[in-house]
Amino acid sequence: MGAVWHPECFRCHACNQPISDYEFSMSGNYPYHKSCYKEHYHPKCDVCKQFIPTNMNGLIEYRAHPFWLQKYCPTHEMDGTPRCCSCERMEPRDIQYVTLDDGRKLCLECLDSAIMDTSECQTLYLDIQEFYEGLNMKVEQQIPLLLVERQALNEAMEGEKNGHHHLPETRGLCLSEEQTVSTILKRPKFGAGNRVMEMVTEPCRLTRRCEVTAILILYGLPRLLTGSILAHEMMHAWLRLKGYRTLSQEVEEGICQVLAHMWLDSEIMSGSGSNIASTSSSSLASTSSKKGSRSQFERKLGDFFKHQIESDTSSAYGDGFRAGNRAVLQYGLKPTLDHIWLTRSFPC
Ligand SMILES: [Zn+2]
Ligand SMILES: [Zn+2]
Ligand SMILES: [Zn+2]
């Protein structure tokens, strides 16, 4: 024990100041001031920005979003902290989300690319139509596309004789009945407290010229989410117009989710600027996305929407997607659709 002890050499690994306190913390082989250690290693809540408190057993217990890894005190799940209706992230105390007129909350990053009125949605509709053409699945009929509020969507859903509803919330609908639907005419403005005001809607009478009267999509969602919902509903329309009947929910919703997922893939690829090999996806990628390069957040958001489709726990949408996706990866889209036509089931 011939070592000489220099108090001034015993320094905190974080702030590099000498440690003179009786108690200190160790991490790896390094000493820290207790306060510095806490600052570095004790997790802070992404919502209230405080250190996440220890529970009754002295352990730090927090929740984290599985995709965004946003971590927060468990109490925020009960204290009314809002979540973004699109990306699911909780509203941090220092940022105010916008409130849509139906009570949905939207974070500012999702708001950035949100589709707010029926005319804004038409450009996207053209992209989706080209996407279907690129797959040799052109929908010949002119199907009206309307952007609607939640209430109008729910009312239209009740007016349908049969149809599947994506719980907990339906965000799109492929209509077969003749109905009058209230559609959003003009992008709403945001007033005090970031609340929607001056919403302009107009009743739209839909008449039936073919098996599908219209496609309705919930307003206020980011372009990539709106597009994936639209790609899903377009597939319902395609199936109906091509005469695919009495499919099980799992097969029908599953194949619709496969198309939504494929569209997201093509958008993420086309926005990344990387050169795309001459696979079947190249024709898709080149047709979509005329909006220029994606923001980094938008690409991450695209990955999130894909993750949501892949990890959906419901049997119709989740299991259906996974079975459909396996089939399409193994046999291709066209043979899978032919197989569904003949057997009403996915090839396995
Ligand atoms: Zn907190
Ligand atoms: Zn969001
Ligand atoms: Zn569906």
Side-chain angles (χ1 to χ4, degrees), residues 125-179:
Y125 194 20
L126 291 176
D127 284 354
I128 304 283
Q129 286 169 346
E130 281 182 31
F131 171 75
Y132 272 82
E133 270 188 68
L135 295 169
N136 275 320
M137 293 166 66
K138 185 173 158 73
V139 177
E140 305 287 347
Q141 290 82 353
Q142 285 295 321
I143 305 166
L145 167 69
L146 305 177
L147 211 62
V148 298
E149 296 172 273
R150 180 151 69 178
Q151 197 191 343
L153 188 64
N154 289 339
E155 281 168 10
M157 203 159 67
E158 277 159 29
E160 286 293 287
K161 291 199 182 69
N162 43 34
H164 317 135
H165 312 139
H166 197 174
L167 299 170
E169 163 136 61
T170 296
R171 300 190 281 199
L173 194 62
C174 182
L175 281 192
S176 300
E177 308 295 330
E178 299 207 328
Q179 294 200 35

Side-chain angles (χ1 to χ4, degrees), residues 157 163-172 232-233 249 253 257 308-309 312-314 316-318:
M157 203 159 67
H164 317 135
H165 312 139
H166 197 174
L167 299 170
E169 163 136 61
T170 296
R171 300 190 281 199
H232 175 107
E233 299 306 328
Q249 276 220 28
E253 299 301 343
Q257 286 294 72
Q308 262 187 325
I309 293 174
D312 192 313
T313 53
S314 71
Y317 294 82

